[in-house]
Amino acid sequence: MAQRITIDPITRIEGHLRVDIEVDGGKVTKAWSSGQMYRGIENILKGRDPRDAWMFVQRICGVCTTVHGLASVRAVEDALQLPIPLNAQLVRNMVQAIHCLQDHIVHFYTLSALDWVDVVSALDADPVKTAALAETLSNWPGNSAKRFSAVKDKLKGLVASGQLGPFANAYWGHPAMKLPPEANLMAVSHYLEALDYQRKATQALGIIGGKNPHVQNLCVGGIANNLNQDNETGLTMERLYFIKQLIEEVRDFIKMVYQSDVAAIGALYKEWIPYGAGVTNYMAAPDMFTDVEGTKGDLPGGTIFNADLSTVKPFTTISDSYFKENVEESIARAWYDGDWSKNPFEEDTDPKYTDFQDEGRYSWMKAPRFQGKPMQVGPLAQVLVGYAQGHELTVKAANDFLGRLNSVAGTNLGPEILHGTIGRHAGRAIRAGMMADLALKHWDLLVNNLATGDYEIFNQPVFPKGEQRGVGIHEAPRGILSHWIIIQDGKIKNYQAVVPSTWNAGPRDGQGQPGPYEASLVGNPIAEPEKPLEVLRTVHSFDPCIACAVHMLDPEGKEVIKVKAL
Ligand code: NFE
Ligand code: MG
C-alpha cells in the first residue's frame, strides 16, 4: 500500500519548501512540491519609480543576491530602449560571474554534499590513504595526509563534544550512503576549505558592488562605479588587480577541488545516474554580453525538448522575442485568485489561500510554462543548450568534466548521462569552471577598454508619457530569470518576476502536468521512508530557493510520516 511522506521544511538553510511523496514498493510514485510562503514583492512595486525597483527586488532573495537587481534594470532599459555603456555591461558581467562562483561553491558543499558524504564515516578513514585517493584526482595543495589527519582530529573533537553544529540533523549511517571512509574524509576537508573560497568570491563582489549581499552599484542606464583612474575611491587598478587575484584563487579551487569532488561522487555513485531526470525540456538565457546592444553573449541561450539535443533552438539577444512570446504562468493549482494561464505582462498576483489539496491547490508558487510545457532550468540546462549548439567553451568544459568522471568510474560515458540528479551537480560544476574563465575574460575586456580612456558608466533614462513594456532576461545561478515591467507615465503599473526556482519547483498546471521537481522524484528509490535521503538528493540537486520562487504556515496535513530535513 502506498505510504504518504511529508518533508517540511526540506532545504538545508533556506526553508520554505514542502515536498510530499507517495512511496510504493520502495519507490516514489507521486510527488508534490509546495512553496509555503507568500511575500508579494511584485505587488509592493506597483506605483513606484521604475528606477527604484532594482533595490526592492534584490530583497526577493538573500542567496541569489545580485540577479534580481540585474534583471530589473534590464527590464526598465528594455522598456525605454535605453542602451548602456560598454563598461557598464562588462562590470555587470563581472558581478554576475563572481556571484555565481560563490553561489555554486556554497550550493555544492554547504547545501548538498552531505546528502552523499557521510561525515561520521570519515572518522574511520586513514589520512595517508585519503591523500593517495585525492592525489589521483588533482594536485591541490590542501590534499595532504597532514591536513586530512588534522581534519579527522577536528571532527573527532566535534563528535565527542556532542555538538555537531552544521553536521547535526543528517542521515549518518543511512544505507544509501556508499562512499568509502577516505572519500568521506576528503570531502569533509574540502567542505571546510570551501568556506574560505566562497568568502574570497564574496570579498571580490563586495569590492565591486560596494556591499554583499545586495550590491549597490547598479542603476537604470548603467552602473554607479567610478571608473576614472584619477580618483582613489572607485574601481581603481589596484582594486581591480586584487579582484583578479581573488578570482584566480577561486578558479583554482573550482577546477582542482569542486569539479574533482563532483566527478568522484558521480563516479562512485554511478548507480544514481539514471535517477531524477523528470522534465527533460530545458531552457537557458543568453548572457555575459560583450557588446552594448546585448546580442553577443558568452553564455549561450536556447531550448531543448524531450532530452533530444538535436531539437536545440538558440536564443541570442538580451530581448529575445522567442522567449518573451512563449512564456505563460498558470495558477490552476496555486493559492491565487482565478484559474488562468497568462503571459506575465497580463498577470496579477492576488493571493487566495485554501489548504494543501492533493488534487487542487497546494502551493504559493505559480507554474511557468514555455509553449505550454514545463521546462527544467539551471546550470544543466545551460550546459546542454550550449553543448547542443557546439558552443566552444561549453563543449570543452563538459568534455573535460566527463573525462574526469569516466577516469574514476572506468567508463566511457557521454553527455547523455547528464539528464538526472547527478547530472545537475555535474552541470553546475561544469558551469562554475566556465564562469571562472569568463570572469577573467571580462576582467581583461574591462581593463582593455579602460586603457582606451573610456570611463563612461551611465546613460540617463528618460520616461516618456504613456505606456512602455520591457523584459529583463538574465541567467541566474539557478537558471533563467525574467522580470516583466509595464511602465505608465513614469510609474510602475505592473511588475512580474518569473524566477528559476519557480520554473523548477512550481506545481502542476491546468493540464495536470507536474513541474520539474515533482517529475524528477517519481521513480527514485526510497530505502527507509522515515529517512527519505533520496528525496533530498534529487530536490537539492536543483538548488532550491523558495524565497525567490514565491516572492503563514499551513495547518497540519493528514500525512503518515512527517519529517524535517534541515
Ligand atoms: Ni533565491 Fe534565484 C537564483 C533567482 S531563484 S536563488 O539563481 O532568480 O531560483
Ligand atoms: Mg512571480
Side-chain angles (χ1 to χ4, degrees):
M1 207 189 82
Q3 201 173 14
R4 173 67 172 257
I5 301 170
T6 299
I7 308 175
D8 180 19
I10 197 169
T11 51
R12 252 201 124 212
I13 286 183
E14 186 280 328
H16 330 285
L17 174 64
R18 164 176 166 174
V19 167
D20 286 56
I21 53 169
E22 276 183 20
V23 177
D24 205 353
K27 277 189 169 21
V28 178
T29 50
K30 268 189 189 172
W32 295 260
S33 161
S34 169
Q36 291 283 303
M37 182 188 63
Y38 171 74
R39 295 168 75 217
I41 287 182
E42 291 161 331
N43 289 341
I44 291 170
L45 290 168
K46 283 189 188 168
R48 293 189 186 272
D49 189 317
R51 291 170 298 187
D52 292 343
W54 71 275
M55 274 288 189
F56 283 87
V57 295
Q58 275 204 97
R59 273 66 192 173
I60 285 175
C61 190
V63 179
C64 56
T65 55
T66 60
V67 303
H68 294 286
L70 282 165
S72 181
V73 292
R74 284 180 171 177
V76 182
E77 288 154 6
D78 184 48
L80 301 180
Q81 292 296 299
L82 176 68
I84 60 170
L86 182 59
N87 286 325
Q89 193 78 291
L90 297 171
V91 168
R92 288 181 184 183
N93 291 343
M94 288 184 58
V95 165
Q96 167 178 7
I98 296 169
H99 166 243
C100 162
L101 304 182
Q102 188 259 352
D103 195 298
H104 288 350
I105 291 172
V106 169
H107 173 260
F108 182 66
Y109 288 99
T110 312
L111 301 180
S112 63
L114 303 184
D115 298 343
W116 309 90
V117 172
D118 189 332
V119 172
V120 176
S121 143
L123 291 174
D124 297 329
D126 174 345
V128 175
K129 284 192 195 152
T130 306
L133 165 74
E135 226 169 71
T136 64
L137 299 168
S138 83
N139 304 322
W140 180 246
N143 287 343
S144 67
K146 189 166 164 229
R147 169 161 171 96
F148 292 137
S149 184
V151 169
K152 188 175 160 181
D153 287 346
K154 193 174 203 168
L155 204 53
K156 257 191 215 152
L158 257 182
V159 172
S161 76
Q163 297 188 331
L164 285 171
F167 301 137
N169 288 326
Y171 296 143
W172 314 131
H174 191 283
M177 289 287 195
K178 300 274 200 234
L179 295 185
E182 283 71 27
N184 286 317
L185 178 58
M186 177 182 77
V188 171
S189 175
H190 294 165
Y191 176 107
L192 297 172
E193 279 183 286
L195 296 170
D196 286 334
Y197 286 88
Q198 66 86 26
R199 179 175 50 75
K200 288 177 196 286
T202 300
Q203 193 176 3
L205 190 52
I207 295 168
I208 298 184
K211 175 179 176 293
N212 188 32
H214 305 125
V215 293
Q216 301 291 299
N217 68 321
L218 302 179
C219 56
V220 171
I223 51 168
N225 301 86
N226 189 345
L227 297 178
N228 190 322
Q229 295 300 311
D230 295 338
N231 88 94
E232 287 174 8
T233 56
L235 215 40
T236 58
M237 279 300 147
E238 189 185 352
R239 291 196 174 98
L240 281 165
Y241 271 91
F242 183 47
I243 289 164
K244 184 181 190 191
Q245 180 196 322
L246 291 167
I247 299 171
E248 285 170 344
E249 289 176 34
V250 174
R251 173 201 58 191
D252 292 349
F253 179 80
I254 286 170
K255 294 198 174 183
M256 297 173 78
V257 180
Y258 173 24
Q259 291 184 337
S260 296
D261 285 346
V262 176
I265 285 176
L268 295 168
Y269 279 103
K270 61 175 185 279
E271 78 279 6
W272 255 83
I273 286 175
Y275 296 122
V279 170
T280 53
N281 307 321
Y282 297 96
M283 179 162 62
D287 215 319
M288 298 290 290
F289 296 99
T290 55
D291 60 336
V292 170
E293 296 77 23
T295 59
K296 295 189 185 70
D298 272 339
L299 287 178
T303 53
I304 287 172
F305 289 96
N306 298 317
D308 180 354
L309 300 197
S310 74
T311 65
V312 71
K313 185 165 161 126
F315 59 96
T316 53
T317 71
I318 200 166
S319 177
D320 213 288
S321 55
Y322 175 54
F323 175 75
K324 292 198 248 190
E325 288 164 9
N326 284 300
V327 174
E328 286 194 345
E329 290 193 292
S330 160
I331 57 162
R333 308 293 295 272
W335 289 316
Y336 296 98
D337 198 14
D339 186 12
W340 42 253
S341 181
K342 288 182 181 172
N343 180 273
F345 279 137
E346 313 305 326
E347 281 184 35
D348 53 38
T349 305
D350 195 1
K352 189 178 177 193
Y353 183 69
T354 58
D355 195 348
F356 193 106
Q357 305 166 330
D358 289 2
E359 304 304 327
R361 298 176 190 253
Y362 59 91
S363 178
W364 286 114
M365 287 181 256
K366 295 172 177 175
R369 296 291 181 262
F370 185 85
Q371 295 180 337
K373 298 200 169 61
M375 307 297 282
Q376 183 180 151
V377 306
L380 173 61
Q382 185 174 65
V383 167
L384 291 175
V385 302
Y387 198 91
Q389 290 171 53
H391 179 254
E392 197 181 327
L393 178 66
T394 311
V395 171
K396 183 173 176 323
N399 286 344
D400 280 355
F401 178 86
L402 289 167
R404 290 161 87 166
L405 186 147
N406 281 321
S407 85
V408 183
T411 49
N412 188 21
L413 303 163
E416 68 285 349
I417 66 161
L418 295 175
H419 305 287
T421 297
I422 296 277
R424 277 183 289 276
H425 282 291
R428 196 171 293 106
I430 293 166
R431 180 176 191 264
M434 290 167 55
M435 294 306 271
D437 291 342
L438 290 177
L440 292 167
K441 174 181 172 183
H442 287 245
W443 185 96
D444 272 339
L445 292 173
L446 176 67
V447 168
N448 288 335
N449 194 52
L450 293 176
T452 68
D454 174 10
Y455 301 139
E456 290 297 315
I457 54 170
F458 178 63
N459 294 332
Q460 179 79 40
V462 177
F463 292 87
K465 284 268 170 225
E467 184 187 288
Q468 303 90 37
R469 294 176 171 219
V471 184
I473 303 175
H474 171 61
E475 184 71 6
R478 285 155 202 78
I480 186 168
L481 167 67
S482 55
H483 283 206
W484 306 64
I485 193 169
I486 303 180
I487 302 170
Q488 177 73 49
D489 300 330
K491 293 274 188 294
I492 298 173
K493 185 175 166 199
N494 198 4
Y495 200 103
Q496 292 291 329
V498 183
V499 180
S501 288
T502 323
W503 283 99
N504 285 336
R508 290 159 177 74
D509 55 29
Q511 271 75 54
Q513 300 180 96
Y517 283 16
E518 299 177 330
S520 70
L521 287 166
V522 173
N524 281 207
I526 300 291
E528 293 184 6
E530 298 74 19
K531 295 179 180 171
L533 175 62
E534 299 87 344
V535 174
L536 301 189
R537 286 181 175 170
T538 289
V539 171
H540 285 164
S541 71
F542 287 93
D543 194 358
C545 181
I546 306 312
C548 272
V550 283
H551 348 267
M552 293 180 231
L553 287 174
D554 66 318
E556 285 294 308
K558 299 168 204 71
E559 60 274 4
V560 177
I561 300 171
K562 183 159 177 152
V563 293
K564 283 188 178 183
L566 291 173

